[in-house]
Amino acid sequence: MFPNLFKARMNKLLGKENKVFLRYCQKPLRITIRINKLKVENENRVIEGLKRYGWKLERIPFLEGAYEVKGLKKEEAIGNTLEFFLGYYYVQEIASMLPPLILNPEPGERVLDLCASPGSKTTQLAMIMENKGLIIANDVTLDRLKILKYNLEKYGVLNAVTTLHDGRFFWKKGLEFDKILVDAPCSCEGVIRKNYQVLSRWSIGRIKELSRLQKGLIFSAFKCLKEGGILVYSTCTLAPEENEEVVSFLLEKFGNATLEKIEIPGFKMREGIPEWEGKRFGEEVKKCARIYPQDNNTEAFFIAKVRKL
Ligand SMILES: C[S@@+](CC[C@H](N)C(=O)[O-])C[C@H]1O[C@@H](n2cnc3c(N)ncnc32)[C@H](O)[C@@H]1O
């Protein structure tokens, strides 16, 4: 089932609790949606409308506009409604809704979403910004950019333009942003609950390769950040090489990069780990947030909030 090395690494991270973690990895994820306020004025009306499919909708207390959907006969049904086709809601996992909330862009600001496709977080950023200001939504492959464009249109995003670039070299454009999201490509250990297949691609070699790519992406993003600006780095994986190691690389490279503590009331997050397999990342990375599936019944995630001094 789980590769032995994966289990051994998780055991190092979690000790006895690893059993609970692995049990959660085998549980199906809750189905959750985010109401798209760019198209929906009256949230209650949409919620009441969705109940006609026989679904039960429960509000997620700490996340405005987010609901757990229960009572679906088939999982696919969530993407097969008129409301979905009209872009009234996005099917988005709870942990995945957190990076845009933590970045918290103001209406009118300039925002870069460096790895944006398929656009769950870009559409959420546009919603937080009330469609004001500018988002540059970038991705590296044309096929993925097409999906992103489709979603921006479907969800009524008016303040975003898309670009096709390798994010590692985006800084060469000489553009500056108030807020930047790097939702990096990763080994996806956190989405085993959604897609067991991710384990078939899992290997240490791939983790190390991704870590190199992620360092390139965070370096480039930080160079594009205005003084006083905020960069949020996130992955849906738990591998320290792709998380604390990447953040610690940034802190070492730039004396004016500093971490801020992340808190979401009502949601359990754990500190970043200061050391892994003999590599010291420093105490500062404790300010990063590790999200384990067993803590809030979600996907696993890692989030860091960096300010440029
Ligand atoms: C985790 S996904 C992003 C998910 C997206 N932020 C969302 O919430 O819908 C990572 C994305 O990074 C893109 N990517 C991979 N390498 C990249 C690079 N060098 N530059 C920019 N984007 C890259 C992938 O194509 C993929 O779409």
Side-chain angles (χ1 to χ4, degrees):
M1 252 175 57
F2 296 104
N4 283 338
L5 187 54
F6 173 77
K7 278 197 286 192
R9 282 166 58 91
M10 291 313 301
N11 211 36
K12 238 187 244 175
L13 276 174
L14 286 166
K16 277 191 196 146
E17 208 194 335
N18 196 21
K19 271 193 182 159
V20 189
F21 167 76
L22 294 175
R23 188 152 27 87
Y24 264 82
C25 286
Q26 292 166 73
K27 277 192 187 189
L29 267 178
R30 293 188 280 170
I31 294 174
T32 50
I33 60 171
R34 171 175 57 79
I35 298 294
N36 175 27
K37 293 211 185 108
L38 294 178
K39 284 204 162 174
V40 171
E41 268 181 35
N42 188 335
E43 185 172 319
N44 282 336
R45 232 165 73 191
V46 174
I47 296 304
E48 288 309 311
L50 291 177
K51 288 184 184 163
R52 76 178 185 282
Y53 301 113
W55 303 347
K56 203 169 161 239
L57 285 105
E58 277 175 18
R59 246 188 69 65
I60 308 288
F62 50 87
L63 274 173
E64 221 191 299
Y67 292 81
E68 179 177 353
V69 185
K70 291 182 170 168
L72 290 156
K73 294 208 176 69
K74 278 190 184 163
E75 201 179 302
E76 305 87 82
I78 194 71
N80 200 15
T81 66
L82 178 65
E83 289 85 344
F84 181 73
F85 296 132
L86 291 172
Y88 287 0
Y89 64 86
Y90 205 111
V91 183
Q92 191 174 353
E93 213 281 325
I94 296 168
S96 150
M97 296 183 207
L98 301 179
L101 278 188
I102 290 160
L103 190 65
N104 198 23
E106 304 275 337
E109 282 189 328
R110 274 171 76 132
V111 176
L112 171 64
D113 188 354
L114 195 62
C115 308
S117 184
S120 67
K121 298 184 189 68
T122 318
T123 53
Q124 192 183 351
L125 290 168
M127 192 177 86
I128 297 170
M129 294 166 77
E130 299 164 9
N131 253 340
K132 295 180 186 130
L134 173 70
I135 303 175
I136 293 194
N138 178 71
D139 210 279
V140 76
T141 55
L142 187 58
D143 283 351
R144 296 210 31 107
L145 205 72
K146 285 183 192 160
I147 306 170
L148 174 64
K149 278 176 185 248
Y150 168 80
N151 276 328
L152 295 181
E153 193 179 322
K154 173 178 169 185
Y155 288 93
V157 174
L158 301 174
N159 66 338
V161 290
T162 55
T163 55
L164 179 66
H165 282 292
D166 186 327
R168 288 173 293 182
F169 309 109
F170 198 95
W171 65 274
K172 294 191 174 177
K173 308 233 149 294
L175 300 172
E176 276 204 323
F177 297 87
D178 303 292
K179 305 264 162 78
I180 300 181
L181 177 64
V182 183
D183 188 39
C186 68
S187 58
C188 298
E189 292 171 344
V191 295
I192 296 171
R193 290 183 74 178
K194 185 160 69 192
N195 178 7
Y196 211 70
Q197 291 300 315
V198 296
L199 282 177
S200 62
R201 276 173 277 141
W202 184 94
S203 73
I204 285 295
R206 194 165 142 70
I207 287 176
K208 295 210 164 125
E209 197 182 297
L210 283 161
S211 175
R212 276 193 296 277
L213 169 62
Q214 291 150 348
K215 286 174 188 164
L217 291 168
I218 203 169
F219 172 91
S220 174
F222 191 76
K223 279 184 90 77
C224 299
L225 195 62
K226 277 186 188 163
E227 258 179 38
I230 301 280
L231 180 159
V232 166
Y233 174 80
S234 57
T235 68
C236 56
T237 208
L238 292 166
E241 294 88 340
E242 298 181 59
N243 294 324
E244 288 88 349
E245 186 177 317
V246 174
V247 173
S248 141
F249 158 85
L250 183 78
L251 299 182
E252 266 172 37
K253 271 262 175 267
F254 297 96
N256 57 347
T258 170
L259 285 174
E260 295 194 353
K261 185 121 182 84
I262 298 170
E263 269 159 348
I264 303 271
F267 192 84
K268 182 172 171 186
M269 301 190 185
R270 306 193 195 190
E271 290 179 342
I273 56 163
E275 188 174 355
W276 176 251
E277 300 197 323
K279 273 190 191 160
R280 286 280 316 152
F281 306 133
E283 295 298 301
E284 186 68 4
V285 300
K286 284 187 174 172
K287 290 183 183 156
C288 301
R290 292 193 147 254
I291 298 167
Y292 287 94
Q294 66 271 31
D295 287 342
N296 310 278
N297 194 9
T298 64
E299 285 181 352
F301 242 82
F302 173 90
I303 310 175
K305 182 179 178 187
V306 184
R307 186 180 288 277
K308 191 174 206 170
L309 297 177

